[in-house]
Amino acid sequence: MNLVVPEHPLKPSLNDQEREDLIERIKSLLDERQATLVAHYYTDPEIQALAEETGGCVADSLEMARFGALAEQSTVLVAGVRFMGETAKILSPEKTILMPTLEATCSLDLGCPIEAFDAFCNEHSDRTVVVYANTSAAVKARADWVVTSSIALDVVDHLSAAGEKILWAPDRYLGAYVQKETGADMVLWQGACIVHEEFKAKGIHDLKQVYPEARVLVHPESPSAVIEAADVVGSTSQLIKAAVDLDAETFIVATDRGIFYKMQQLAPEKRFLEAPTAGNGATCRSCAHCPWMAMNALSNIEQVLKHQDQEIQVAADLAERALKPLQRMLDFNR
Ligand code: 13P
Ligand code: SF4
């Protein structure tokens, strides 16, 4: 697939006073609009801090979905990527779901168009369809289950124990990891995350020569060789928990570097190192930071709260169908 990957956006450089003023204006707008800010761990530290300060939340994709649905505010501003906004809308159709920009998407979502996916499902009609949350509403609506990385192993284990064969989409690395861990009978869609796919096992082994005592934390969207080098494999929230709980001073982290804000906040005495990607000459695709997450900025948060123009819409019939597999995940988690 020919993916158009955006360059990392150049954000306006603000001095301290300008930034403070902008943050104050956003806080007032959040109040005026009765809105809450829900941010993913991969967004800029200043966005995560603002979400925390204003009573919103910073979380992994599963927790973001739950928080948005339970929030008392009528408007939820989702700082993350499009599938996160769509999930919030499907779970809370009565709420206004805004995003700093509707252009922030995800290579997994882009790499799994509904027409081709539907044909793939039809070829394997004897299988239970399990899709990762990083998909469009239409793909979710075609699925029996939606999972996020924090719950994928448990759900597939449960289905496999009940004798079900699985069709998994879209991330091939996460799928292979789940298959290996659960022993489930799975066929895999061949998608990938352009950020995690770039982590290199050799780079991690080289870094371990320098920091032999370091523990390695890996998100399961990474290639199998990188996962094999891990001490802990898990979703963003599971990796943060490991960073706090493990008795080590240094960590090599194979996921988007936005996560360092929370890790450093919860374990200020520890050292976190970016797992190596493609090295010298690396491009925007290979820098441990998701180019779509990077589209979220304080400036467009202010703009969307002012103009309310970047609103997520999901057709009602589609939302109704996509809700079933999503709700199954939330009920299973409960
Ligand atoms: P989490 O579900 O772990 O937050 O991951 C979402 C994601 O997009 C990872 O790249
Ligand atoms: Fe998608 Fe990868 Fe970005 Fe996560 S990091 S939103 S999986 S492209």
Side-chain angles (χ1 to χ4, degrees), residues 40 42 81 83-84 105-109 132 134 171 192-196 219 221 255-256 289-293:
H40 190 265
Y42 294 167
V81 294
F83 78 84
M84 296 170 177
T105 181
C106 165
S107 63
L108 289 168
D109 186 348
Y132 196 31
N134 302 37
D171 189 300
C193 160
I194 57 156
V195 180
H196 290 86
H219 195 284
E221 290 168 9
T255 195
D256 186 292
H289 190 34
C290 174
W292 293 290
M293 288 283 181

Side-chain angles (χ1 to χ4, degrees), residues 48-171:
Q48 297 185 47
L50 181 62
E52 287 174 331
E53 263 178 59
T54 53
C57 99
V58 182
D60 68 5
S61 54
L62 177 62
E63 200 47 47
M64 285 173 80
R66 268 203 304 241
F67 185 91
L70 294 176
E72 61 190 22
Q73 288 87 345
S74 54
T75 297
V76 181
L77 174 48
V78 177
V81 294
R82 196 181 171 103
F83 78 84
M84 296 170 177
E86 284 188 353
T87 300
K89 184 68 185 174
I90 294 163
L91 291 173
S92 311
E94 73 293 351
K95 290 187 179 168
T96 302
I97 309 296
L98 301 174
M99 296 196 67
T101 167
L102 295 179
E103 284 174 26
T105 181
C106 165
S107 63
L108 289 168
D109 186 348
L110 289 175
C112 190
I114 181 58
E115 298 77 14
F117 180 64
D118 184 46
F120 186 59
C121 293
N122 292 341
E123 272 171 39
H124 299 282
S125 54
D126 56 330
R127 289 177 179 268
T128 300
V129 177
V130 181
V131 302
Y132 196 31
N134 302 37
T135 45
S136 65
V139 165
K140 289 185 177 74
R142 182 63 180 82
D144 299 302
W145 285 81
V146 172
V147 295
T148 69
S149 52
S150 63
I151 205 174
L153 282 178
D154 292 342
V155 169
V156 171
D157 212 19
H158 162 80
L159 295 173
S160 177
E164 294 184 38
K165 296 193 293 177
I166 312 290
L167 180 155
W168 169 273
D171 189 300

